[in-house]
């Protein structure tokens, strides 16, 4: 499910100016862009979900993310939808669902959003009372970015969950 480059560009331009708009105006403008595509278009549903999510309406974002995924959202938007929906689920108290989605997502492949998946999973795990596992995941994601201590931090991350 792809959209045209012009539509994607206009969406990106609107997102770049989000701070220039009130919440209501931003949501309306995303809605206008989304309405240019068929009502069941996965990309349009995703962007609507993002607009609600970013403006603090996690409860309205979750169904849109879910619909976008069910309608075949692909590429980086698909993975973003999983991360963002999981974060929204966490925000509305559905933490176990967020943990399950993100745990599955970690084995679904690797890309530039791996650290976002890990960070969001760490937050959800912490909220579910699994703090040691959360810190382990966060440290494991952080370790490759360190100039020094990569090996020791990776080991500490592993030991946090082995010692339980």
């Amino acid at each position: 499910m792809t959209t045209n480059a012009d539509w994607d560009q206009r969406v990106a331009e609107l997102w770049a100016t989000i701070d220039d708009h009130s919440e209501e105006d931003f949501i309306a403008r995303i809605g206008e862009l989304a309405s240019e595509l068929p009502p069941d278009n996965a990309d349009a549903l995703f962007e609507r979900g993002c607009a609600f999510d970013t403006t603090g309406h996690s409860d309205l974002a979750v169904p849109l993310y879910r619909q976008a995924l069910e309608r075949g959202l692909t590429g980086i938007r698909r993975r973003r939808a999983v991360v963002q929906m999981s974060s929204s689920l966490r925000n509305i108290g559905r933490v176990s669902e967020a943990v399950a989605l993100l745990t599955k997502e970690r084995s679904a492949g690797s890309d530039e959003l791996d650290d976002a998946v890990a960070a969001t999973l760490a937050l959800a795990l912490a909220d579910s009372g699994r703090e040691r596992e959360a810190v382990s995941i966060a440290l494991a994601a952080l370790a490759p970015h360190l100039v020094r201590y990569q090996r020791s931090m990776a080991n500490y991350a592993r030991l946090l969950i082995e010692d339980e």
Side-chain angles (χ1 to χ4, degrees), residues 106 131-144 149-164:
R106 288 185 82 199
E131 292 88 356
R132 290 182 70 83
E133 191 176 349
V135 171
S136 174
I137 288 171
L139 278 176
L142 174 64
Y149 313 111
Q150 290 176 349
R151 189 168 166 267
S152 33
M153 287 301 155
N155 284 331
Y156 291 143
R158 181 181 45 80
L159 292 172
L160 274 170
I161 53 176
E162 283 182 4
D163 289 346
E164 288 188 87

Side-chain angles (χ1 to χ4, degrees), residues 55-152:
T55 56
H57 303 284
S58 296
D59 57 324
L60 300 175
V62 168
L64 291 165
Y65 289 143
R66 194 175 308 281
Q67 289 174 26
L69 290 165
E70 288 169 356
R71 285 173 176 72
L73 192 66
T74 61
I76 198 70
R77 279 187 171 128
R78 187 209 63 80
R79 195 143 203 228
R80 286 180 55 205
V82 171
V83 170
Q84 291 167 205
M85 182 170 72
S86 297
S87 178
S88 290
L89 287 166
R90 179 183 154 268
N91 289 337
I92 61 175
R94 293 166 54 186
V95 177
S96 60
E97 192 175 346
V99 169
L101 281 168
L102 292 163
T103 300
K104 182 179 176 186
E105 189 62 28
R106 288 185 82 199
S107 62
S110 181
D111 63 19
E112 67 268 22
L113 293 180
D114 287 352
D115 292 340
V117 171
T120 308
L121 177 57
L123 287 169
L125 287 168
D127 283 354
S128 69
R130 296 162 60 184
E131 292 88 356
R132 290 182 70 83
E133 191 176 349
V135 171
S136 174
I137 288 171
L139 278 176
L142 174 64
H145 304 284
L146 300 174
V147 176
R148 295 193 181 268
Y149 313 111
Q150 290 176 349
R151 189 168 166 267
S152 33

Side-chain angles (χ1 to χ4, degrees), residues 11-54:
V11 168
E13 288 169 0
L14 181 55
W15 278 103
T17 64
I18 187 171
D19 292 329
D20 298 339
H21 305 279
S22 69
E23 285 183 16
E24 297 79 19
D25 181 51
F26 184 76
I27 290 169
R29 287 174 183 253
I30 287 289
E32 289 168 11
L33 286 168
S35 69
E36 294 177 15
L37 302 177
D40 63 345
N41 179 277
D43 294 320
L45 290 163
F46 170 74
E47 293 299 337
R48 285 181 194 264
C50 292
F52 281 120
D53 198 0
T54 300

